[in-house]
């Protein structure tokens, strides 16, 4: 009888351990982000794992508890090294999938640190490209380096508007949005990446939100047009931002900047952990910038019309998508006047401020001269809010394959 019980216990042990390892593997593969360097996962699987992560967690811990109980009751049910190794493996995959992403990508949606231009000169080089957001005369600059880890940065409002900057280093894209959909407030935080673009989630509802779509996964799947409101952004060197907006603010990452991040004695874990994560992120982004192939091999649609890592300014008005290259715009002898989505648009490059601008043409006339601020002899032009400034062509074209190029 004892032999039968022992045999059944052994079967239960190994079935439980197998279930735990499979769950850990799925959490690691689909939610750990960096795992997708080597393991490709279909979008549907990743979203399913995310939506069921707490159920998977419960089952995973329950099965590990069963194996631990059986090991305690029957010491010889399996070797100590085998039991410890498999338990540690589950702990590792669980940590990487369920815990680590929320530590390494700590969002700063409401508590972002913004400093003066003079203070920012300690952290941002003069020639560094910054993503600029200007609302009602108030301007902010965000460097790629400072945005790379938090992915979401803001502090409530800018120019009287509720707005937050979202960022994806793999896409090289900063998008400013109002964190609301259908009037419902969102608490945005990074989740993972899919097809080399940031996927955020709403901490209130748990709903995934793809950055480039600015839509929740469920709205996208249901054909709803509900999305976050976008705000115009553009790029320029930091030193030019300082010239254009001398009273502007600059975002700095508080867990990157010396004097703001916790010391070893305050938090030894983060003091060791953050530099390691910085190195991993730098390696991933460095690879993305210097190789034709995407860092994460999850791109479905490859468009050969432009070099894969060429930076483009993509935009859409309704369902009309167009991408402009800086080289093409600079080659033109005068601003480009184009029709996109039935609306008149002006595209120009300002040599003084080294910035490409896309504006709505509200003058009713052909625009032959426009400055960095959108001023023309016939009035000031508003910037187009849907411009994605300096995104990699490979990722832009994957999400919007219908894109027209350099329309005039």
């Amino acid at each position: 009888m004892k032999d039968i019980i022992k045999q059944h216990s052994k079967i239960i042990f190994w079935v439980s351990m197998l279930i735990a390892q499979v769950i850990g593997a799925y959490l690691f593969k689909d939610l750990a982000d960096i795992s997708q360097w080597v393991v490709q996962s279909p979008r549907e699987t990743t979203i399913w794992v995310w939506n069921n992560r707490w159920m998977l967690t419960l089952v995973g811990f329950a099965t590990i508890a069963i194996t631990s109980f059986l090991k305690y009751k029957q010491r010889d049910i399996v070797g100590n090294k085998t039991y410890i190794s498999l338990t540690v493996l589950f702990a590792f995959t669980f940590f990487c999938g369920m815990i680590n992403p929320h530590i390494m990508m700590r969002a700063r949606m409401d508590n972002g640190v913004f400093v003066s231009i003079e203070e920012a000169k300690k952290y941002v080089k003069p020639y560094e490209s910054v993503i600029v957001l200007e609302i009602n005369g108030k301007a902010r600059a965000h460097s790629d380096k400072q945005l790379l880890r938090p992915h979401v940065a803001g502090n409530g409002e800018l120019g009287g508007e509720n707005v937050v900057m979202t960022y994806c280093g793999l896409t090289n894209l900063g998008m400013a949005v109002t964190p609301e959909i259908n009037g419902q407030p969102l608490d945005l935080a990074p989740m993972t990446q899919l097809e080399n673009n940031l996927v955020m989630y709403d901490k209130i509802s748990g709903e995934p939100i793809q950055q480039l779509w600015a839509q929740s996964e469920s709205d996208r799947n249901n054909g709803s047009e509900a999305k976050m409101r976008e705000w115009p952004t553009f790029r320029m060197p930091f030193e030019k931002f300082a010239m254009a907006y001398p009273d502007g603010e600059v975002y700095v990452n508080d867990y990157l900047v010396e004097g703001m991040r916790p010391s070893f004695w305050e938090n030894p874990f983060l003091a060791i952990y953050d530099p390691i994560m910085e190195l991993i992120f730098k390696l991933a982004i460095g690879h993305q910038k210097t190789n034709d192939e995407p860092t994460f091999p999850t791109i479905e649609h490859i468009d050969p019309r432009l070099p894969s890592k060429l930076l483009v300014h993509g935009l859409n008005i309704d369902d009309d998508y167009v991408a402009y290259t800086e080289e093409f715009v600079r080659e033109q002898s005068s601003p480009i006047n184009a029709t996109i989505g039935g609306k008149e648009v002006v595209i120009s490059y300002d040599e003084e401020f080294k910035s490409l601008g896309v504006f709505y043409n509200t003058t009713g006339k052909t625009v032959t001269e426009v400055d960095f601020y959108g001023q023309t002899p016939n009035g000031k032009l508003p910037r187009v809010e849907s411009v994605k400034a300096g995104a990699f062509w490979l990722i832009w074209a994957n999400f919007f394959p219908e894109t027209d190029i350099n329309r005039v």
Side-chain angles (χ1 to χ4, degrees):
M1 187 66 179
K2 288 184 177 180
D3 289 341
I4 294 175
I5 293 174
K6 185 175 181 179
Q7 187 64 29
H8 286 175
S9 297
K10 201 165 190 176
I11 292 172
I12 294 171
F13 176 93
W14 283 111
V15 169
S16 297
M17 183 60 79
L18 177 62
I19 293 172
Q21 297 303 331
V22 169
I23 286 174
Y26 267 102
L27 293 174
F28 176 78
K29 176 175 70 75
D30 289 279
L31 303 184
D33 192 10
I34 58 175
S35 62
Q36 295 185 49
W37 260 334
V38 293
V39 183
Q40 298 184 45
S41 188
R43 182 183 197 90
E44 295 77 12
T45 304
T46 298
I47 298 301
W48 183 89
V49 171
W50 171 261
N51 289 335
N52 293 278
R53 64 195 184 281
W54 296 117
M55 181 269 290
L56 293 171
T57 295
L58 179 62
V59 174
F61 274 97
T63 50
I64 283 292
I66 291 171
T67 63
S68 299
F69 174 76
L70 292 173
K71 174 63 177 170
Y72 172 76
K73 297 294 288 185
Q74 299 183 33
R75 302 288 183 176
D76 61 344
I77 195 170
V78 69
N80 289 337
K81 288 184 179 179
T82 300
Y83 167 74
I84 293 172
S85 297
L86 291 174
T87 303
V88 168
L89 176 61
F90 172 80
F92 171 78
T93 54
F94 176 82
F95 173 81
C96 289
M98 286 294 290
I99 299 174
N100 187 58
H102 308 293
I103 302 175
M104 72 177 180
M105 301 184 291
R106 306 192 292 278
R108 289 292 182 260
M109 190 180 110
D110 296 314
N111 58 350
V113 178
F114 293 88
V115 300
S116 68
I117 289 174
E118 282 305 310
E119 177 72 11
K121 288 178 180 178
K122 301 176 185 176
Y123 317 117
V124 185
K125 295 180 174 60
Y127 56 82
E128 271 191 72
S129 175
V130 293
I131 305 155
V132 180
L133 171 63
E134 188 268 323
I135 300 177
N136 298 328
K138 301 294 184 179
R140 282 179 178 167
H142 312 75
S143 79
D144 296 79
K145 179 181 177 181
Q146 300 293 328
L147 281 173
L148 183 57
R149 286 268 304 286
H151 289 76
V152 179
N155 64 356
E157 60 87 27
L158 178 66
E161 297 287 352
N162 181 19
V163 64
V164 64
M165 182 66 74
T166 69
Y167 179 77
C168 179
L170 291 170
T171 309
N172 200 59
L173 174 64
M175 274 179 64
V177 296
T178 292
E180 296 177 2
I181 295 180
N182 282 333
Q184 297 298 312
L186 307 174
D187 189 356
L188 298 175
M191 171 185 145
T192 186
Q193 65 82 25
L194 284 171
E195 301 175 70
N196 289 251
N197 181 244
L198 170 68
V199 181
M200 300 170 284
Y201 76 101
D202 172 26
K203 290 202 246 183
I204 300 170
S205 66
E207 184 74 27
I209 299 171
Q210 188 84 43
Q211 183 201 28
L212 268 168
W213 293 336
Q215 277 188 301
S216 71
E217 195 73 19
S218 59
D219 282 333
R220 184 79 179 183
N221 291 337
N222 295 331
S224 171
E225 295 184 0
K227 60 185 298 186
M228 294 184 289
R229 177 183 178 181
E230 292 184 56
W231 293 88
T233 57
F234 50 96
R235 282 185 176 269
M236 62 196 310
F238 173 60
E239 62 182 355
K240 299 299 182 181
F241 172 80
M243 290 171 51
Y245 303 102
D247 297 323
E249 300 176 325
V250 184
Y251 172 73
V252 293
N253 180 358
D254 60 300
Y255 50 90
L256 177 67
V257 171
E258 193 70 43
M260 295 184 187
R261 63 189 181 195
S263 68
F264 179 83
W265 303 113
E266 293 171 322
N267 193 322
F269 171 75
L270 290 180
I272 297 171
Y273 174 90
D274 277 334
I276 295 173
M277 290 300 108
E278 282 297 317
L279 177 61
I280 291 173
F281 270 78
K282 285 179 181 178
L283 290 174
I285 299 308
H287 181 276
Q288 184 80 322
K289 289 182 176 181
T290 56
N291 290 269
D292 289 336
E293 297 298 320
T295 296
F296 294 90
T298 54
I299 297 293
E300 295 181 359
H301 174 77
I302 304 295
D303 192 323
R305 289 182 292 169
L306 292 174
S308 63
K309 297 301 174 61
L310 185 67
L311 299 178
V312 300
H313 283 62
L315 71 143
N316 71 289
I317 298 177
D318 294 329
D319 293 327
D320 194 3
Y321 290 80
V322 184
Y324 287 91
T325 65
E326 181 179 306
E327 181 183 15
F328 178 81
V329 176
R330 295 182 71 175
E331 286 174 348
Q332 309 308 305
S333 58
S334 63
I336 297 170
N337 288 256
T339 302
I340 302 175
K343 294 187 177 181
E344 300 304 312
V345 173
V346 177
I347 305 95
S348 68
Y349 184 84
D350 189 276
E351 291 290 348
E352 179 183 3
F353 289 100
K354 308 298 181 186
S355 182
L356 191 152
V358 184
F359 307 91
Y360 288 112
N361 185 353
T362 54
T363 67
K365 302 177 182 179
T366 298
V367 173
T368 57
E369 54 180 296
V370 57
D371 69 7
F372 165 79
Y373 300 99
Q375 292 286 359
T376 76
N378 296 302
K380 186 175 181 179
L381 310 181
R383 290 182 182 269
V384 176
E385 70 281 357
S386 65
V387 174
K388 314 299 187 292
F392 290 122
W393 166 249
L394 176 77
I395 293 107
W396 172 264
N398 175 67
F399 278 86
F400 308 113
E402 65 272 40
T403 295
D404 191 13
I405 299 174
N406 292 332
R407 183 182 297 174
V408 296

